[in-house]
Amino acid sequence: CVGCVWCVGCVWVVVWAIAPTFHNASRFHEGLALVSQNGWGYVTVSGEFAIKPVLEGAYDFKEGFARFTKSSSNGFIDATGTVAISPSYQDASDFCEGLAAVKSNDCWQYIDSTGVTLLAECVDSAGDFQNRVAMIVQSDVSHLINQEEIGLIL
């Protein structure tokens, strides 16, 4: 049993699936766990690095992409570590239902997985899509939008 505690001759023994050699580690998401070891990277369930720990900041994988930071800008990588969307955003949320909210020049908009901007208007705040609906805030007024309203049918 991996990760179990056993009593062997009255001495407790822990069997580790992955040796505890990281400064920080998250749970597995989409087959990869985010770990810190002089930088952020990702390991597989066997403990091998899928993406070497060279990222300044990183987040869990969602829908095939993980947010990362470089020089205080946010972008997205795929499961191979390839930059899918360049780090050019002040802030970003995870992909949810095919879209991610991103902030540039104090303006929130939505992008798709190729980095194409889909919401033409600049909003003050943009929430994650759930059941094809998201909340946005514009001029201190909250609105619910659906994906069709921003020109999408996913």
Side-chain angles (χ1 to χ4, degrees):
C1 175
V2 175
C4 295
V5 178
W6 297 92
C7 180
V8 179
C10 296
V11 176
W12 291 97
V13 177
V14 177
V15 180
W16 295 100
I18 300 173
T21 60
F22 307 110
H23 300 290
N24 291 297
S26 74
R27 295 179 182 203
F28 282 89
H29 295 270
E30 300 186 14
L32 298 173
L34 176 63
V35 296
S36 171
Q37 190 180 61
N38 300 321
W40 292 94
Y42 297 85
V43 294
T44 64
V45 293
S46 66
E48 300 294 320
F49 276 102
I51 300 170
K52 295 194 184 301
V54 296
L55 301 169
E56 292 174 21
Y59 300 84
D60 294 322
F61 273 88
K62 304 273 174 66
E63 296 190 12
F65 299 96
R67 286 185 291 144
F68 76 100
T69 56
K70 181 178 181 181
S71 302
S72 300
S73 292
N74 292 268
F76 295 87
I77 57 172
D78 66 19
T80 67
T82 301
V83 174
I85 299 171
S86 296
S88 58
Y89 301 104
Q90 287 174 282
D91 201 356
S93 69
D94 295 322
F95 274 91
C96 192
E97 297 188 11
L99 302 174
V102 294
K103 183 179 182 182
S104 291
N105 301 318
D106 296 321
C107 172
W108 283 93
Q109 296 178 304
Y110 291 99
I111 60 169
D112 67 11
S113 61
T114 65
V116 172
T117 301
L118 300 170
L119 181 62
E121 293 183 47
C122 174
V123 297
D124 301 327
S125 176
D128 291 339
F129 277 91
Q130 294 180 0
N131 297 315
R132 302 176 64 83
V133 176
M135 185 177 77
I136 61 170
V137 177
Q138 189 172 29
S139 302
D140 294 324
V141 178
S142 297
H143 305 274
L144 291 176
I145 62 169
N146 62 42
Q147 290 180 347
E148 287 78 16
E149 287 175 319
I150 61 171
L152 280 186
I153 299 176
L154 297 178

